[in-house]
Coordinates of all heavy atoms in Angstrom, one line a residue:
M1 N 8.9 -3.5 2.2 CA 7.6 -3.0 2.2 C 7.5 -1.5 2.7 O 6.8 -0.8 2.1 CB 6.8 -3.9 3.3 CG 5.4 -3.6 3.3 SD 4.5 -3.7 1.8 CE 5.0 -5.3 1.2
K2 N 8.3 -1.2 3.6 CA 8.3 0.2 4.1 C 8.7 1.2 3.0 O 8.0 2.2 2.8 CB 9.3 0.3 5.3 CG 9.3 1.7 5.9 CD 10.2 1.8 7.1 CE 10.3 3.2 7.6 NZ 11.2 3.3 8.8
A3 N 9.7 0.8 2.3 CA 10.2 1.7 1.2 C 9.1 1.8 0.1 O 8.9 2.9 -0.4 CB 11.5 1.2 0.6
L4 N 8.4 0.7 -0.2 CA 7.4 0.8 -1.2 C 6.3 1.7 -0.8 O 5.8 2.6 -1.5 CB 6.8 -0.6 -1.5 CG 5.6 -0.7 -2.4 CD1 5.8 -0.2 -3.8 CD2 5.1 -2.1 -2.4
V5 N 5.8 1.5 0.4 CA 4.7 2.3 0.9 C 5.0 3.8 1.0 O 4.3 4.7 0.7 CB 4.1 1.8 2.3 CG1 3.1 2.7 2.9 CG2 3.6 0.4 2.1
L6 N 6.3 4.1 1.5 CA 6.7 5.5 1.6 C 6.8 6.1 0.2 O 6.5 7.3 0.1 CB 8.0 5.5 2.4 CG 7.9 5.2 3.9 CD1 9.3 5.2 4.5 CD2 7.0 6.1 4.6
A7 N 7.3 5.3 -0.7 CA 7.3 5.9 -2.1 C 5.9 6.2 -2.7 O 5.7 7.2 -3.3 CB 8.1 4.9 -3.0
L8 N 5.0 5.3 -2.4 CA 3.6 5.6 -2.8 C 3.0 6.8 -2.1 O 2.3 7.6 -2.7 CB 2.7 4.3 -2.6 CG 3.0 3.2 -3.5 CD1 2.3 1.9 -3.1 CD2 2.6 3.5 -4.9
N9 N 3.3 6.9 -0.8 CA 2.9 8.1 -0.1 C 3.4 9.4 -0.8 O 2.7 10.3 -1.0 CB 3.5 8.1 1.4 CG 2.8 7.1 2.3 OD1 1.7 6.6 2.0 ND2 3.4 6.8 3.4
D10 N 4.7 9.4 -1.1 CA 5.4 10.5 -1.7 C 4.7 10.8 -3.1 O 4.4 12.0 -3.4 CB 6.9 10.3 -1.9 CG 7.6 11.5 -2.4 OD1 7.4 12.6 -1.8 OD2 8.4 11.4 -3.3
L11 N 4.5 9.8 -3.9 CA 3.9 10.0 -5.2 C 2.5 10.6 -5.0 O 2.1 11.5 -5.8 CB 3.8 8.6 -5.9 CG 3.2 8.6 -7.3 CD1 4.0 9.5 -8.2 CD2 3.2 7.2 -7.9
N12 N 1.7 10.0 -4.1 CA 0.4 10.6 -3.9 C 0.4 12.0 -3.4 O -0.4 12.8 -3.9 CB -0.3 9.7 -2.8 CG -1.8 10.0 -2.8 OD1 -2.5 10.1 -3.9 ND2 -2.4 10.0 -1.6
K13 N 1.4 12.4 -2.6 CA 1.5 13.8 -2.2 C 1.9 14.7 -3.3 O 1.3 15.8 -3.5 CB 2.6 13.9 -1.1 CG 2.2 13.4 0.3 CD 3.3 13.6 1.3 CE 2.9 13.0 2.6 NZ 4.0 13.0 3.5
Q14 N 2.7 14.2 -4.2 CA 3.1 15.0 -5.4 C 1.9 15.2 -6.3 O 1.9 16.2 -7.1 CB 4.2 14.3 -6.2 CG 5.6 14.2 -5.5 CD 6.6 13.5 -6.3 OE1 6.6 13.4 -7.5 NE2 7.5 12.8 -5.6
C15 N 0.9 14.4 -6.2 CA -0.2 14.5 -7.1 C -1.4 15.2 -6.3 O -2.6 15.0 -6.7 CB -0.7 13.2 -7.6 SG 0.6 12.4 -8.7
G16 N -1.1 15.9 -5.3 CA -2.1 16.6 -4.5 C -3.0 15.7 -3.8 O -4.2 16.1 -3.6
E17 N -2.6 14.6 -3.3 CA -3.3 13.6 -2.5 C -4.5 13.1 -3.2 O -5.5 12.5 -2.6 CB -3.8 14.3 -1.2 CG -2.7 14.8 -0.3 CD -1.9 13.8 0.4 OE1 -2.4 12.6 0.6 OE2 -0.8 14.1 0.8
C18 N -4.6 13.1 -4.6 CA -5.7 12.6 -5.3 C -5.4 11.5 -6.2 O -6.3 11.0 -6.9 CB -6.4 13.8 -6.1 SG -5.3 14.5 -7.3
L19 N -4.2 11.0 -6.2 CA -3.8 9.9 -7.1 C -4.4 8.6 -6.6 O -4.9 7.8 -7.3 CB -2.3 9.8 -7.2 CG -1.7 8.6 -8.0 CD1 -2.1 8.9 -9.5 CD2 -0.2 8.5 -7.9
I20 N -4.3 8.3 -5.3 CA -4.7 7.1 -4.7 C -6.0 7.3 -3.9 O -6.0 7.9 -2.8 CB -3.6 6.5 -3.8 CG1 -2.3 6.3 -4.6 CG2 -4.1 5.1 -3.2 CD1 -1.2 5.8 -3.8
E21 N -7.1 6.9 -4.5 CA -8.4 7.1 -3.8 C -8.8 5.7 -3.2 O -8.0 4.7 -3.3 CB -9.5 7.4 -4.9 CG -9.2 8.8 -5.5 CD -9.4 10.0 -4.6 OE1 -10.1 9.9 -3.6 OE2 -8.8 11.0 -4.9
T22 N -9.9 5.6 -2.6 CA -10.3 4.3 -1.9 C -10.2 3.1 -2.8 O -9.6 2.1 -2.4 CB -11.7 4.5 -1.3 OG1 -11.8 5.6 -0.4 CG2 -12.1 3.2 -0.6
D23 N -10.8 3.2 -4.0 CA -10.7 2.0 -4.9 C -9.3 1.6 -5.2 O -9.0 0.5 -5.3 CB -11.5 2.3 -6.2 CG -13.0 2.5 -6.0 OD1 -13.5 2.1 -4.9 OD2 -13.7 3.0 -6.9
Q24 N -8.5 2.6 -5.5 CA -7.1 2.4 -5.8 C -6.3 1.8 -4.6 O -5.5 0.9 -4.8 CB -6.4 3.6 -6.4 CG -6.8 4.1 -7.7 CD -8.1 4.9 -7.7 OE1 -8.4 5.5 -6.6 NE2 -8.7 5.0 -8.8
R25 N -6.6 2.3 -3.5 CA -6.0 1.8 -2.2 C -6.2 0.3 -2.0 O -5.3 -0.4 -1.8 CB -6.4 2.6 -1.0 CG -5.8 2.1 0.3 CD -6.3 2.8 1.5 NE -7.7 2.5 1.7 CZ -8.7 3.4 1.9 NH1 -8.4 4.7 1.9 NH2 -9.9 3.1 2.1
E26 N -7.5 0.0 -2.2 CA -7.8 -1.4 -2.0 C -7.1 -2.3 -3.1 O -6.6 -3.4 -2.7 CB -9.4 -1.6 -2.1 CG -10.1 -1.0 -0.9 CD -11.6 -1.0 -1.1 OE1 -12.1 -1.5 -2.1 OE2 -12.2 -0.4 -0.2
G27 N -7.1 -1.9 -4.3 CA -6.4 -2.6 -5.3 C -4.9 -2.7 -5.1 O -4.3 -3.8 -5.3
I28 N -4.3 -1.6 -4.7 CA -2.9 -1.7 -4.4 C -2.6 -2.6 -3.3 O -1.6 -3.4 -3.3 CB -2.3 -0.2 -4.1 CG1 -2.4 0.6 -5.3 CG2 -0.9 -0.3 -3.5 CD1 -2.2 2.1 -5.1
C29 N -3.4 -2.6 -2.2 CA -3.1 -3.5 -1.1 C -3.3 -4.9 -1.5 O -2.6 -5.8 -1.1 CB -4.1 -3.1 0.1 SG -3.6 -1.6 1.0
E30 N -4.4 -5.2 -2.3 CA -4.6 -6.6 -2.7 C -3.4 -7.1 -3.5 O -2.9 -8.2 -3.4 CB -5.8 -6.6 -3.6 CG -7.1 -6.6 -2.8 CD -8.3 -6.7 -3.7 OE1 -8.2 -7.2 -4.9 OE2 -9.4 -6.2 -3.3
L31 N -2.8 -6.2 -4.4 CA -1.7 -6.6 -5.2 C -0.4 -6.8 -4.3 O 0.3 -7.8 -4.4 CB -1.3 -5.5 -6.2 CG -0.1 -5.7 -7.0 CD1 -0.2 -7.0 -7.9 CD2 0.2 -4.5 -7.9
I32 N -0.2 -6.0 -3.3 CA 0.9 -6.2 -2.4 C 0.7 -7.5 -1.6 O 1.7 -8.3 -1.5 CB 1.0 -5.0 -1.4 CG1 1.5 -3.7 -2.2 CG2 1.9 -5.3 -0.2 CD1 1.4 -2.4 -1.4
F33 N -0.5 -7.7 -1.1 CA -0.7 -9.0 -0.3 C -0.5 -10.2 -1.2 O 0.0 -11.2 -0.8 CB -2.1 -9.0 0.3 CG -2.4 -7.8 1.2 CD1 -3.7 -7.4 1.4 CD2 -1.4 -7.1 1.8 CE1 -4.0 -6.3 2.2 CE2 -1.6 -6.1 2.6 CZ -2.9 -5.7 2.8
Y34 N -0.9 -10.1 -2.5 CA -0.8 -11.2 -3.4 C 0.7 -11.5 -3.7 O 1.2 -12.7 -3.6 CB -1.5 -10.9 -4.7 CG -1.2 -12.0 -5.8 CD1 -1.9 -13.1 -5.8 CD2 -0.3 -11.8 -6.8 CE1 -1.7 -14.1 -6.7 CE2 -0.1 -12.7 -7.8 CZ -0.8 -13.9 -7.7 OH -0.6 -14.9 -8.7
V35 N 1.5 -10.5 -3.9 CA 2.9 -10.6 -4.2 C 3.6 -11.2 -2.9 O 4.4 -12.1 -3.1 CB 3.6 -9.3 -4.6 CG1 5.1 -9.4 -4.6 CG2 3.0 -8.8 -5.9
V36 N 3.3 -10.7 -1.8 CA 3.9 -11.3 -0.5 C 3.5 -12.7 -0.4 O 4.4 -13.5 -0.1 CB 3.4 -10.4 0.7 CG1 3.8 -11.1 2.0 CG2 4.0 -9.0 0.6
A37 N 2.3 -13.1 -0.6 CA 1.8 -14.5 -0.5 C 2.6 -15.4 -1.5 O 3.0 -16.5 -1.2 CB 0.3 -14.6 -0.7
Q38 N 2.7 -14.9 -2.8 CA 3.4 -15.6 -3.8 C 4.9 -15.8 -3.5 O 5.5 -16.8 -3.9 CB 3.3 -15.0 -5.2 CG 1.9 -15.0 -5.7 CD 1.4 -16.4 -5.9 OE1 2.0 -17.2 -6.5 NE2 0.2 -16.7 -5.2
A39 N 5.4 -14.9 -2.7 CA 6.8 -15.1 -2.2 C 7.0 -16.0 -1.1 O 8.1 -16.3 -0.6 CB 7.4 -13.7 -1.8
G40 N 5.8 -16.6 -0.6 CA 5.8 -17.6 0.4 C 5.6 -17.1 1.8 O 5.9 -17.9 2.8
H41 N 5.2 -15.9 2.0 CA 4.9 -15.3 3.3 C 3.5 -15.3 3.6 O 2.6 -15.1 2.7 CB 5.5 -13.9 3.4 CG 7.0 -13.9 3.1 ND1 7.9 -14.2 4.0 CD2 7.6 -13.5 2.0 CE1 9.1 -14.1 3.5 NE2 9.0 -13.6 2.2
S42 N 3.1 -15.4 4.9 CA 1.7 -15.4 5.3 C 1.3 -13.9 5.5 O 2.1 -13.1 6.1 CB 1.6 -16.2 6.6 OG 0.3 -16.0 7.1
V43 N 0.2 -13.6 5.1 CA -0.4 -12.2 5.3 C -1.6 -12.3 6.2 O -2.7 -12.7 5.7 CB -0.7 -11.5 3.9 CG1 -1.3 -10.2 4.2 CG2 0.5 -11.5 3.0
E44 N -1.4 -12.0 7.4 CA -2.5 -12.1 8.4 C -3.2 -10.7 8.6 O -4.3 -10.7 9.1 CB -2.0 -12.6 9.7 CG -1.3 -14.0 9.6 CD -2.3 -15.1 9.4 OE1 -3.5 -15.0 9.9 OE2 -2.0 -16.1 8.8
E45 N -2.5 -9.6 8.4 CA -3.0 -8.3 8.6 C -2.5 -7.3 7.6 O -1.7 -7.7 6.7 CB -2.6 -7.8 10.0 CG -1.0 -7.8 10.2 CD -0.6 -7.6 11.6 OE1 -1.1 -8.2 12.5 OE2 0.3 -6.7 11.8
D46 N -2.9 -6.1 7.7 CA -2.5 -5.1 6.7 C -1.1 -4.7 7.0 O -0.8 -4.0 7.9 CB -3.5 -3.9 6.8 CG -3.1 -2.8 5.7 OD1 -2.1 -3.0 5.0 OD2 -3.9 -1.9 5.6
I47 N -0.2 -5.2 6.2 CA 1.2 -5.0 6.4 C 1.7 -3.6 5.9 O 2.8 -3.2 6.1 CB 2.1 -6.1 5.7 CG1 1.8 -6.2 4.2 CG2 1.9 -7.4 6.4 CD1 2.7 -7.2 3.5
T48 N 0.8 -2.8 5.3 CA 1.1 -1.5 4.8 C 0.7 -0.4 5.8 O 1.1 0.7 5.7 CB 0.4 -1.2 3.5 OG1 -1.0 -1.1 3.7 CG2 0.8 -2.2 2.4
E49 N -0.1 -0.8 6.8 CA -0.8 0.2 7.7 C 0.2 1.1 8.5 O -0.1 2.2 8.7 CB -1.7 -0.5 8.6 CG -2.6 0.4 9.4 CD -3.6 -0.4 10.3 OE1 -3.4 -1.6 10.6 OE2 -4.6 0.2 10.6
N50 N 1.3 0.5 8.9 CA 2.2 1.3 9.7 C 2.8 2.5 9.0 O 3.2 3.5 9.7 CB 3.4 0.4 10.1 CG 3.0 -0.6 11.2 OD1 2.1 -0.5 11.9 ND2 3.8 -1.7 11.2
W51 N 2.8 2.5 7.7 CA 3.4 3.6 6.9 C 2.5 4.3 6.0 O 2.7 5.4 5.5 CB 4.6 3.1 6.1 CG 5.6 2.3 7.0 CD1 6.5 2.8 7.9 CD2 5.7 0.9 7.0 NE1 7.1 1.8 8.5 CE2 6.7 0.6 7.9 CE3 5.1 -0.2 6.3 CZ2 7.1 -0.7 8.2 CZ3 5.5 -1.4 6.6 CH2 6.5 -1.7 7.5
R52 N 1.4 3.7 5.7 CA 0.4 4.1 4.7 C -0.3 5.4 5.1 O -0.8 5.5 6.2 CB -0.6 3.0 4.3 CG -1.5 3.4 3.2 CD -2.3 2.2 2.7 NE -2.7 1.3 3.7 CZ -3.8 1.3 4.4 NH1 -4.7 2.3 4.3 NH2 -4.1 0.3 5.3
E53 N -0.3 6.4 4.2 CA -1.0 7.6 4.4 C -2.1 7.8 3.4 O -2.8 8.8 3.5 CB 0.0 8.8 4.3 CG 1.1 8.8 5.3 CD 2.1 9.9 5.2 OE1 1.9 10.8 4.2 OE2 3.0 9.9 5.9
W54 N -2.3 6.9 2.5 CA -3.3 7.0 1.5 C -4.4 6.1 1.8 O -4.4 5.2 2.5 CB -2.7 6.7 0.1 CG -1.6 5.7 0.0 CD1 -0.3 6.0 0.1 CD2 -1.7 4.3 -0.1 NE1 0.5 4.8 0.1 CE2 -0.4 3.8 -0.1 CE3 -2.7 3.4 -0.3 CZ2 -0.1 2.4 -0.2 CZ3 -2.4 2.0 -0.4 CH2 -1.1 1.6 -0.3

């Protein structure tokens, strides 16, 4: 998870901080939570928050 979020942070920085806006952030988080849940893990809180800059 950390590597994924840090890579997204880097990509967003490379695009002038305008690649991931509020709508995209919500969609990305929903997708991440869905994948984690499908892998059999419980998602109780925002697991991206510790590293997310977008």
Side-chain angles (χ1 to χ4, degrees):
M1 186 57 49
K2 182 179 179 179
L4 170 63
V5 174
L6 292 177
L8 288 170
N9 287 344
D10 187 50
L11 181 60
N12 194 43
K13 283 180 187 174
Q14 290 178 32
C15 294
E17 304 284 340
C18 64
L19 179 67
I20 303 174
E21 300 290 339
T22 301
D23 292 345
Q24 290 83 19
R25 178 183 68 231
E26 291 172 3
I28 291 168
C29 286
E30 284 179 23
L31 177 62
I32 290 170
F33 302 154
Y34 175 79
V35 169
V36 169
Q38 292 300 304
H41 302 282
S42 176
V43 180
E44 300 288 329
E45 58 190 46
D46 184 352
I47 57 177
T48 68
E49 187 175 23
N50 289 335
W51 309 286
R52 182 169 37 87
E53 296 175 4
W54 31 271

